[in-house]
Amino acid sequence: MSVRLGIQIPAFADADGSAGPSPAVIEQVREAEAAGFDAAFVADPCRHTRESHSAKPDAYTILNVLATVTEQIQLGALGSGSACRNPGSLVESLTALEVASQGRAILGMGAGWCAREHDQLNSHVPILAERPASLASTLQIIVPKIRSDRYLFSEPHHNLTDAAAPVVRAHIPVLIGGSGETRTIPLAVEYADHLSIHTRLDELPRKVDAIRRHCEDIGRDPETLETSVLTTVSVVERVRRLPRPRDISQPGLSGSVAYIADRILSTVSATGINGVILNVANYTPGVLEQLSAALELTDAAWPLLWPTEATAT
């Protein structure tokens, strides 16, 4: 696994509400693959919307469709809320994606943030303090399962006996999304191959320090935990005013392709973060190719920690 450059797709359905990814979404993912993006992610659950009656298709349904129209790009959710997904069902969905993509699936997990999602799924909404514990419980169940061919787990709330196991790879990569220094980062250090950090760019040095500290606590080499930052970008070639230097404290970047690439290279890679996942707010055809070329994600800039089968051969 390596995700030095990824894309998160926030919208899936056509305007008429039909199921499945729209042609524009398929075009976006295909362009990302052609431009050298390592991974494409969708939100899960992907039902949150301002209009609660406007349902969206299931994230893994979307991912399986995308698997049929791509060949190399890795695919996953960013990320599945632990309280919204039954662990056994999630293993089944992940296994189906692993088969459909011929070994390109990523398990993306998070603690969950949108209460409306839980309401629409008729599931319990954990209070904020309980969500990391829910995520930890789910990881304890799923991670050993997707790293072995036989598994049995039993507790008062879950009982998994010989649930489906990966049949393409012995190790499906685990990605955890979040930035909490006391709960989420320690869980990523313990269970994950990749931590996708959701934070402002000016907070990255502190998050990197927290990763190193927690790795030291459990004796893990921090170089074995791949990292990225998730950021929203809005490409605007003509701006009336130059972006202010303090925009680094904002959760996203807006400006020309050159400006966005410069800010990412000067602030993200300089902290030791291995890559970036972009949520392109105003996607137009061709912009992903421009961003990929401008970022110049070479081994010297962001070392490749986990070569894929294609790069290893």
Side-chain angles (χ1 to χ4, degrees), residues 76-148:
L78 187 59
S80 296
S82 56
C84 292
R85 288 279 188 180
N86 174 274
S89 297
L90 183 55
V91 170
E92 297 280 357
S93 297
L94 181 69
T95 301
L97 176 61
E98 176 75 351
V99 174
S101 67
Q102 284 298 293
R104 292 182 284 134
I106 296 173
L107 172 64
M109 295 294 303
W113 62 271
C114 184
R116 188 185 299 113
E117 305 255 346
H118 298 77
D119 292 339
Q120 291 175 347
L121 293 169
N122 195 29
S123 60
H124 169 64
V125 185
I127 62 174
L128 286 174
E130 294 176 347
R131 293 179 192 180
S134 172
L135 175 59
S137 176
T138 299
L139 291 168
Q140 289 169 8
I141 297 170
I142 293 180
V143 171
K145 174 57 190 169
I146 64 174
R147 292 176 179 171
S148 64

Side-chain angles (χ1 to χ4, degrees), residues 8-308:
Q8 184 192 46
I9 310 295
F12 317 104
D14 287 311
D16 62 3
S18 59
S22 67
V25 168
I26 293 175
E27 177 186 23
Q28 189 172 351
V29 174
R30 281 177 165 168
E31 181 184 334
E33 181 175 56
F37 279 66
D38 300 299
F41 299 95
V42 301
D44 179 36
C46 55
R47 293 176 174 83
H48 63 267
T49 176
R50 293 182 184 277
E51 295 81 20
S52 60
H53 63 275
S54 181
K56 301 294 188 294
D58 177 76
Y60 276 89
T61 300
I62 298 298
L63 290 167
N64 277 286
V65 173
L66 295 176
T68 67
V69 298
T70 56
E71 296 180 354
Q72 295 182 330
I73 196 167
Q74 298 172 89
L75 300 168
L78 187 59
S80 296
S82 56
C84 292
R85 288 279 188 180
N86 174 274
S89 297
L90 183 55
V91 170
E92 297 280 357
S93 297
L94 181 69
T95 301
L97 176 61
E98 176 75 351
V99 174
S101 67
Q102 284 298 293
R104 292 182 284 134
I106 296 173
L107 172 64
M109 295 294 303
W113 62 271
C114 184
R116 188 185 299 113
E117 305 255 346
H118 298 77
D119 292 339
Q120 291 175 347
L121 293 169
N122 195 29
S123 60
H124 169 64
V125 185
I127 62 174
L128 286 174
E130 294 176 347
R131 293 179 192 180
S134 172
L135 175 59
S137 176
T138 299
L139 291 168
Q140 289 169 8
I141 297 170
I142 293 180
V143 171
K145 174 57 190 169
I146 64 174
R147 292 176 179 171
S148 64
D149 58 0
R150 289 182 61 83
Y151 185 62
L152 184 147
F153 182 92
S154 182
E155 66 160 22
H157 301 291
H158 301 289
N159 188 345
L160 278 68
T161 303
D162 285 338
V167 296
V168 179
R169 293 176 294 174
H171 182 117
I172 294 180
V174 176
L175 177 151
I176 293 178
S179 61
E181 297 174 27
T182 60
R183 294 184 177 92
T184 303
I185 289 178
L187 286 174
V189 167
E190 183 174 359
Y191 292 103
D193 299 294
H194 187 112
L195 171 63
S196 175
I197 303 171
H198 306 171
T199 191
R200 300 185 332 224
L201 298 184
D202 61 335
E203 293 182 341
L204 286 177
R206 193 177 80 241
K207 304 302 179 182
V208 170
D209 287 342
I211 293 169
R212 291 171 177 163
R213 185 171 63 253
H214 289 297
C215 283
E216 183 178 354
D217 289 343
I218 69 169
R220 177 174 182 174
D221 181 353
E223 295 299 316
T224 65
L225 177 62
E226 190 178 70
T227 53
S228 65
V229 60
L230 172 65
T231 187
T232 298
V233 298
S234 178
V235 176
V236 182
E237 293 299 337
R238 296 181 180 180
V239 292
R240 294 182 178 180
R241 298 180 181 178
L242 292 175
R244 299 178 180 180
R246 65 172 179 269
D247 70 355
I248 189 176
S249 67
Q250 300 303 313
L253 294 169
S254 178
S256 68
V257 167
Y259 171 79
I260 290 171
D262 176 72
R263 299 308 291 167
I264 289 174
L265 290 171
S266 62
T267 60
V268 177
S269 62
T271 65
I273 299 296
N274 303 117
V276 62
I277 299 174
L278 303 177
N279 183 327
V280 182
N282 57 341
Y283 168 78
T284 55
V287 72
L288 300 183
E289 183 178 358
Q290 295 174 39
L291 286 166
S292 178
L295 285 165
E296 296 180 348
L297 299 187
T298 63
D299 290 351
W302 277 324
L304 185 64
L305 298 185
W306 286 283
T308 62

